[in-house]
Amino acid sequence: MKLHLNDTFNQQLPADSNASNTRRQVFDAAFSFVSPRVPSHPNLLHVADEVAELLGISQAETQSLDFLNLVSGSSVYPDSKPYAMAYAGHQFGNWAGQLGDGRAINLFEILHNNQRWTLQLKGAGETPYSRTADGFAVLRSSIREHLCSEAMYYLGVPTTRSLSLVTTGDKVLRDVLYNGNAAYEDGAVVCRVAPSFIRFGNFQLFAARKDIKNLKTLADYTIQYFYPEITTSGKEKYLQFYQEVVNRTVEMVLDWQRVGFVHGVMNTDNMSILGLTIDYGPYGWLEDYDPDWTPNTTDAEGRRYRFRNQPDIALWNLVQLGNALYPLIEDIASMEQVLNSYSQQFDSQFPILQQQKLGLQAEYDAHFQDELTTLLTASETDMTIFYRNLANLVKTDTSDEALAKITLAFYQPDKIVTTLKTSWLNWMELYLEKIKAEVGSDEERKQAMNTINPKYVLRNYMAQLAIEAAEKEDYTLIDELYTLLKNPYEEQPQYEKWFAKRPDWARHKVGCSMLSCSS
Ligand code: AMP
Ligand code: MG
């Protein structure tokens, strides 16, 4: 297997001068060289063929021992120098100081078809940034990360990718609910792929230490390779960079709100400087529409990262990035303008998105949308099924017929009675009036809606089923879900069973409705 290595990060940025793999504060460095731990019995469970193709790895090569050695950490690719990145961050709103890749190890960068990709193993052992943890990852969370990264990509959401999923043959101790019931689980490694894994926190680390020289080096590097469209110089260059990060972050969050994705841990160290969804931990998908839902048990009390807070939290995180970049820009007024543009962009695009989800080209009607949000929440309605089936309405429907078409989305249809039913019928009546006023045909509206509203998402219980099967060494469901989620907007009659509400057993089950950071 011949790969076109082209390292830049570990060539152009300062390396930790201490070569020992010991946990410590690392100064004056953007990363530390560290080798992955050699697993005892690596076993390849799944490969995302299209990610392999991006890297110039053929399907035949993914079946080779070389490939397994590479993606499991069994051997270091010739002439490569793996490393863990140094970063800091705000966790749940509090400054946490140095964090860094505690269980992620970058292997190398590849240049293929003029695209730069970094390969990174997650769960391949400790690094200088592992703090009190072990550097490993368990099978259940690795399945979740592998499948969700790819599902998000095919949904059209900016994201890091996942090349492969392997089990290591080593056991990892985890206390899933942090209640003193630790148990051994199968260790696993995912090979993540992205142009770069630089986070807001990489900038925050240097800024917090007043290491302006390295802050500038990192910003220059990031702009050179990942924001080549920026051609200004001096302070203007960094201001423009900040603006571009804001723009990309708005796009990412809009997509999350569109598909009903809840990240779960939007700490600044989990915010990609490229506007990619990164670090799939206790994430989840809105099933019954509840804007206040978060899957993360660690955040159960304050629910800082609940679904409807995500746009505001992204802004909060961008403020922190602004604080970090300030020494390079030193112009509060201009930076405030950049931040204001976040809200301007979001406030202008979100209503358009909501209209698109409803298949409407007419002007946004805030009262009508608010009423829908209230109804969806009050009725325990499956978000995905609701929007998908709403596309089946036709202009000649009565409001009763219209309501019947979305009834599949209700978890408890027998509760849609009296005033709640009246409110739904009223809303449907207004909606029918609105679609009648649209110029396009029913079919055109349906087609447009079905490119925005997915039919299939990685429902929390689906990932859980794949996990439970895999724990019994049956990996067929991982492959089935991967195949299904490659075409999330298409009708796939053979997979219609996945267009279904969360089953009752999953309602309050760990791994479905709630997840911890213990992964
Ligand atoms: P996150 O879960 O993404 O919010 O991670 C926060 C910090 O904890 C990052 O620095 C991670 O690298 C680190 N971390 C999380 N899990 C582990 C683990 N099992 N071993 C070592 N470091 C970890
Ligand atoms: Mg993280």
Side-chain angles (χ1 to χ4, degrees), residues 17-45:
S17 55
N18 180 345
S20 70
N21 189 0
T22 51
R23 292 141 198 248
R24 57 201 150 80
Q25 294 290 306
V26 174
F27 294 96
D28 308 314
F31 64 91
S32 305
F33 288 115
V34 58
S35 292
R37 198 178 87 147
V38 176
S40 58
H41 293 99
N43 183 22
L44 184 62
L45 303 194

Side-chain angles (χ1 to χ4, degrees), residues 87 91 99-101 103 122 192 199 263 265 267 269-271 278-280:
Y87 54 81
Q91 296 183 310
L99 295 167
D101 287 333
R103 57 161 163 182
K122 182 169 176 180
R192 307 201 288 193
R199 302 143 190 270
H263 183 284
V265 204
N267 294 334
D269 53 301
N270 292 336
M271 295 290 290
I278 190 172
D279 280 10
Y280 292 88

